[in-house]
Amino acid sequence: MTQVASSPNAVPQEIWRGKAYPLGASYDGSGTNFALFSEVAERVELCLFDVDGTETRMTLPEVDGFVWHGFLPNIEPGQRYGYRVHGPNDPAAGHRCNPNKLLLDPYSKAIDGVFDWNQSLFGYTFGDEDSRNDDDSAASMPKSVVINPFFDWGTDRPPNHEYADSVIYEAHIKGLTETHPDIPDGMRGTYAAVAHPAIIEHLKSLGITAIELMPVHHFANDSTLIDKGLSNYWGYNTIGFFAPDPKYSSSGTPGGQVQEFKAMVRSLHEAGIEVILDVVYNHTAEGNHMGPTVSMRGIDNAAYYRLVDDDKRYYMDYTGTGNSLNVGHPHSLQLIMDSLRYWVTEMHVDGFRFDLASTLAREFYDVDKLSTFFELVQQDPTVSQVKLIAEPWDVGPGGYQVGNFPPQWTEWNGKYRDTVRDFWRSEPATLDEFAYRLTGSADLYENTARRPVASINFVIAHDGFTLRDLVSYNEKHNDANGEDNNDGESHNRSWNCGVEGPTDDPEILKLRSRQERNFLTTLLLSQGVPMICHGDELGRTQGGNNNGYCQDNEITWIDWAAADTELLDFTREVSALRAAHPVFRRRRFFSGKPVGRRGEAGLPDIAWFTPEGTEMTGEDWGSGFARSVTVYLNGHGIPDRDTRGQPVIDDSFVLFFNAHYEPLEFTLPPAEFGKAWTVVLSTDGVEKGTEAAAGGSVTVDARATVVWQAVDPD
């Protein structure tokens, strides 16, 4: 046992040997154990900070298996701390230790404060990247915080919705809640705001089963954006894989964000809504060789980051952000797996969406779906049981991997987005691929024994146009981002319906409204798992900005006062139709073969017809000008059983899709498919409740959808 005080005002602290596991700061009621991995460290100092900023340093007394550790009695939750690592500083060999740089604990459960961007945070002197800078960074650094791990979860249980029954709502905590009139001012933009009854009721009214939160792991606000008067709004710049970001906390106390986050999860679970986190394990905020030294870079650079083999001063960058986490190193993998388990077991989240997940599959160079990371996930008894969603691409060679992730994973289906957008803007030769996307993308998933739910279907996500902007702009309008409109995707597969941006033309407004409804209907009635981007059900616009990553303001926040209530009601109606009918939520792919119906074989589980009512031929599918199709879904051809083992039987449906630029006459299928039909949903002038017999015809407006339900006379 030793006592150490590093300044006249510092209070001496006892430090015991402690334990090497778990990593991080662990409070047990009597004191706190500190443990930090570093294979290259020669000495590690734990630094404690008082409220007035007084720093107390002490050397961790023990090291086992490259884990430096010590136990401090009487250190309680709220204590702010950091590390100084003594070791080699040889960038050419991949080592960047510098004890003058205060470092955040990679296992911080909470972080307090913000970066004061200046020279002291960097390991080199500005203008000379090969120099060494020994300015002390402590005064400019946020601090790790010891947290209280205890929380009254009550009877909290995960909702455990099956994928087939899921509707995901992608949301930004602040963007969703910042202007909601029913949320108190001091609560808006926080975890507590997401748990507010007004937000929960909105989600429930839409049939949402899971909210997918954009990054809440503690992230750094980029200095380059701050200099422009902007900020990192999206949060894809993680520096704390265990710590919920205090920017979204209303508590105002160090560590209070942890309790507030847990309370949010508990409230959402009580409402039957799962919590999925958008997580960024592919890179960190330390960036490339010109970035700051604030955590893992100064602890063990070569262990945590992928370095260029023949010049270890530089970083492999598969993410476009400067660095890539080294998933080939066991302790880097341990960091990721420990983080995932922590969020499941301690924070009670229900799943993860992995940003640029292809990066995690790069053990060496190529993307390998059998990499160690995926093997660890599959074998882990905790992580393997939650929802695992991949963004199946990165910016490296061969990074676009839609359809290639392991069987237990689901994927953001970028091909679904692109195809549906092209279909509804009447691009030629898209009809056959549209059919694949509508029916669960069997061409991508069936050959690996996966199900339709492997496809997370989306038309809109945070990155790109909102739904309202998708039908209002041909070009991006990102001038507010300060990059001369050069940032953001230029090929958006959007169509402004005749006028760029706002208009008073009633015909164009009517067409845009119909297009929004076409996208929502297609999304919610496709096989697979639909994902709605927050505010699209309300007509949210970003004024044509398709890259709102730096806009923490009215550009990206939902304007609840301007909500399109008619569009909201329509979205609720389509979602309710999906929820009520398992024919839209099949757990297996269509076969197209005859199946039993009322004890008789003969009708297929799905059938495709031309607008004239004749079954589609190969020539029809191959026609480049074909933009319209009729789909028959057999409610008695669902190869699923309910939880009690009973066959799932539903009504049959016929869907008219007309992406043609003119109205077309559609004919219902012949009588063997159903003798009578009634309209239950329409995006055009065909009124709900309209009835017609088999073979009957109706005119469908240009770019419109009509959904018919069988009227069963038997």
Side-chain angles (χ1 to χ4, degrees):
M1 179 179 70
T2 59
Q3 289 187 331
V4 180
S6 62
S7 73
N9 297 322
V11 178
Q13 296 285 344
E14 294 182 355
I15 183 166
W16 302 347
R17 56 181 291 179
K19 297 180 180 180
Y21 187 85
L23 291 166
S26 305
Y27 174 70
D28 66 1
S30 64
T32 301
N33 190 79
F34 295 87
L36 179 77
F37 160 77
S38 177
E39 190 170 348
V40 299
E42 297 162 0
R43 183 161 68 95
V44 173
E45 288 182 296
L46 171 67
C47 308
L48 304 180
F49 292 87
D50 294 339
V51 175
D52 63 1
T54 300
E55 178 182 354
T56 301
R57 301 185 193 179
M58 59 201 69
T59 298
L60 292 178
E62 296 287 340
V63 56
D64 294 301
F66 303 117
V67 175
W68 301 75
H69 56 89
F71 181 88
L72 275 70
N74 303 317
I75 293 296
E76 297 184 346
Q79 175 66 57
R80 298 158 72 242
Y81 72 98
Y83 290 107
R84 296 179 185 272
V85 175
H86 299 255
N89 189 285
D90 183 1
H95 305 310
R96 295 179 179 268
C97 297
N98 186 336
N100 297 295
K101 308 305 174 187
L102 185 75
L103 305 173
L104 291 170
D105 184 354
Y107 280 72
S108 302
K109 305 302 190 302
I111 297 172
D112 180 52
V114 297
F115 293 99
D116 180 8
W117 292 106
N118 58 55
Q119 176 71 76
S120 71
L121 298 180
F122 295 80
Y124 64 94
T125 301
F126 291 161
D128 183 4
E129 64 181 80
D130 293 323
S131 63
R132 171 169 171 154
N133 168 37
D134 286 334
D135 294 345
D136 193 290
S137 66
S140 302
M141 282 286 295
K143 310 299 188 293
S144 299
V145 180
V146 178
I147 68 157
N148 180 358
F150 307 110
F151 181 78
D152 182 8
W153 283 103
T155 59
D156 182 70
R157 297 180 63 185
N160 281 332
H161 295 296
E162 291 191 40
Y163 268 122
D165 300 327
S166 296
V167 179
I168 298 173
Y169 190 82
E170 187 197 28
H172 186 284
I173 285 177
K174 189 171 185 181
L176 174 63
T177 64
E178 183 65 19
T179 74
H180 199 292
D182 296 335
I183 299 176
D185 289 345
M187 186 187 291
R188 293 178 183 177
T190 69
Y191 305 118
V194 175
H196 191 278
I199 296 297
I200 288 178
E201 180 55 37
H202 178 74
L203 297 175
K204 291 178 65 177
S205 76
L206 288 167
I208 301 302
T209 65
I211 184 169
E212 182 179 303
L213 296 175
M214 289 177 65
V216 300
H217 287 177
H218 194 104
F219 62 92
N221 202 352
D222 312 55
S223 60
T224 54
L225 293 176
I226 294 174
D227 292 343
K228 296 178 181 178
L230 302 170
S231 65
N232 189 319
Y233 171 67
W234 284 351
Y236 292 94
N237 203 28
T238 304
I239 199 62
F241 293 125
F242 293 76
D245 201 297
K247 300 180 193 69
Y248 305 130
S249 175
S250 61
S251 71
T253 59
Q257 63 265 38
V258 178
Q259 302 290 314
E260 187 173 336
F261 183 93
K262 290 179 177 180
M264 175 195 71
V265 173
R266 184 179 58 192
S267 294
L268 288 165
H269 281 182
E270 288 174 355
I273 299 172
E274 296 176 318
V275 178
I276 298 172
L277 299 187
D278 191 339
V279 290
V280 188
Y281 292 112
N282 52 72
H283 75 280
T284 77
E286 290 187 294
N288 63 16
H289 63 288
M290 303 292 286
T293 300
V294 295
S295 185
M296 290 180 274
R297 169 173 284 143
I299 294 170
D300 196 330
N301 186 58
Y304 282 117
Y305 293 115
R306 293 285 302 272
L307 305 179
V308 176
D309 288 337
D310 55 0
D311 193 344
K312 296 185 183 298
R313 290 178 300 172
Y314 302 113
Y315 295 78
M316 297 296 293
D317 183 11
Y318 298 117
T319 64
T321 59
N323 65 51
S324 303
L325 215 63
N326 185 8
V327 292
H329 192 282
H331 279 279
S332 186
L333 279 171
Q334 181 186 0
L335 173 73
I336 297 173
M337 295 305 299
D338 285 349
S339 171
L340 292 170
R341 278 190 295 269
Y342 175 79
W343 285 96
V344 176
T345 59
E346 297 297 323
M347 308 296 266
H348 286 208
V349 305
D350 305 282
F352 305 95
R353 178 265 188 189
F354 292 80
D355 178 66
L356 300 181
S358 292
T359 302
L360 299 175
R362 292 183 184 272
E363 270 195 18
F364 299 102
Y365 180 78
D366 294 328
V367 176
D368 179 6
K369 69 179 179 181
L370 299 179
S371 70
T372 303
F373 170 70
F374 294 108
E375 292 174 353
L376 287 175
V377 169
Q378 184 162 344
Q379 295 171 13
D380 190 281
T382 299
V383 180
S384 64
Q385 299 306 303
V386 301
K387 289 181 168 64
L388 302 170
I389 304 171
E391 182 186 34
W393 50 80
D394 65 16
V395 300
Y400 195 77
Q401 292 290 317
V402 173
N404 290 330
F405 274 69
Q408 71 186 120
W409 287 69
T410 61
E411 302 173 9
W412 270 27
N413 190 344
K415 291 188 177 182
Y416 180 95
R417 172 201 58 207
D418 296 345
T419 301
V420 172
R421 288 187 179 192
D422 280 347
F423 177 77
W424 282 115
R425 67 189 182 115
S426 301
E427 285 294 292
T430 57
L431 187 60
D432 55 347
E433 189 168 359
F434 176 76
Y436 274 120
R437 305 300 155 243
L438 185 72
T439 55
S441 295
D443 58 325
L444 300 178
Y445 303 112
E446 190 172 24
N447 63 352
T448 54
R450 299 167 79 181
R451 302 285 181 87
V453 295
S455 178
I456 304 296
N457 299 329
F458 69 103
V459 176
I460 305 295
H462 66 273
D463 187 2
F465 282 142
T466 68
L467 181 60
R468 178 61 54 90
D469 290 353
L470 184 70
V471 302
S472 304
Y473 294 90
N474 285 350
E475 309 296 335
K476 62 185 180 182
H477 297 267
N478 298 352
D479 298 287
N481 296 355
E483 299 182 42
D484 296 324
N485 205 36
N486 291 318
D487 63 303
E489 176 61 57
S490 296
H491 184 44
N492 293 283
R493 293 180 161 90
S494 62
W495 179 48
N496 63 19
C497 298
V499 172
E500 186 76 356
T503 181
D504 294 326
D505 188 315
E507 290 303 313
I508 291 178
L509 291 174
K510 183 179 178 181
L511 176 56
R512 289 177 177 177
S513 176
R514 193 158 65 242
Q515 286 286 73
E516 287 178 294
R517 285 159 172 76
N518 287 331
F519 283 120
L520 287 166
T521 301
T522 304
L523 174 66
L524 286 163
L525 300 187
S526 293
Q527 305 299 322
V529 182
M531 185 185 78
I532 299 171
C533 186
H534 80 227
D536 281 344
E537 75 282 8
L538 302 166
R540 182 174 78 92
T541 177
Q542 293 184 170
N545 191 320
N546 74 350
N547 192 30
Y549 78 103
C550 59
Q551 300 294 335
D552 185 4
N553 50 47
E554 291 83 359
I555 290 176
T556 54
W557 303 340
I558 292 177
D559 183 356
W560 287 91
D564 185 337
T565 56
E566 292 184 359
L567 183 61
L568 173 60
D569 288 342
F570 180 85
T571 308
R572 289 168 172 165
E573 184 179 3
V574 186
S575 182
L577 182 66
R578 174 187 178 83
H581 293 283
V583 75
F584 299 116
R585 299 179 282 109
R586 290 169 55 104
R587 287 159 172 78
R588 291 174 174 81
F589 289 109
F590 292 100
S591 69
K593 299 177 181 178
V595 294
R597 184 173 189 268
R598 298 182 182 85
E600 300 176 2
L603 286 178
D605 54 5
I606 188 171
W608 304 87
F609 300 87
T610 66
E612 293 80 12
T614 60
E615 292 201 50
M616 292 281 287
T617 65
E619 185 178 352
D620 293 325
W621 287 114
S623 174
F625 58 81
R627 297 179 176 88
S628 306
V629 70
T630 295
V631 188
Y632 163 78
L633 303 179
N634 186 347
H636 290 255
I638 305 173
D640 299 328
R641 293 184 178 272
D642 62 24
T643 55
R644 294 176 295 177
Q646 299 301 309
V648 175
I649 298 175
D650 194 11
D651 297 323
S652 296
F653 287 82
V654 166
L655 289 73
F656 292 165
F657 292 103
N658 183 22
H660 194 54
Y661 52 81
E662 293 180 337
L664 289 179
E665 185 174 330
F666 276 71
T667 300
L668 284 162
E672 61 263 32
F673 291 91
K675 296 180 180 178
W677 303 86
T678 183
V679 174
V680 293
L681 193 74
S682 174
T683 68
D684 77 344
V686 179
E687 292 187 8
K688 186 176 178 180
T690 298
E691 294 189 357
S697 298
V698 65
T699 299
V700 179
D701 279 348
R703 299 186 175 90
T705 309
V706 180
V707 180
W708 300 79
Q709 185 173 350
V711 178
D712 195 339
D714 300 330

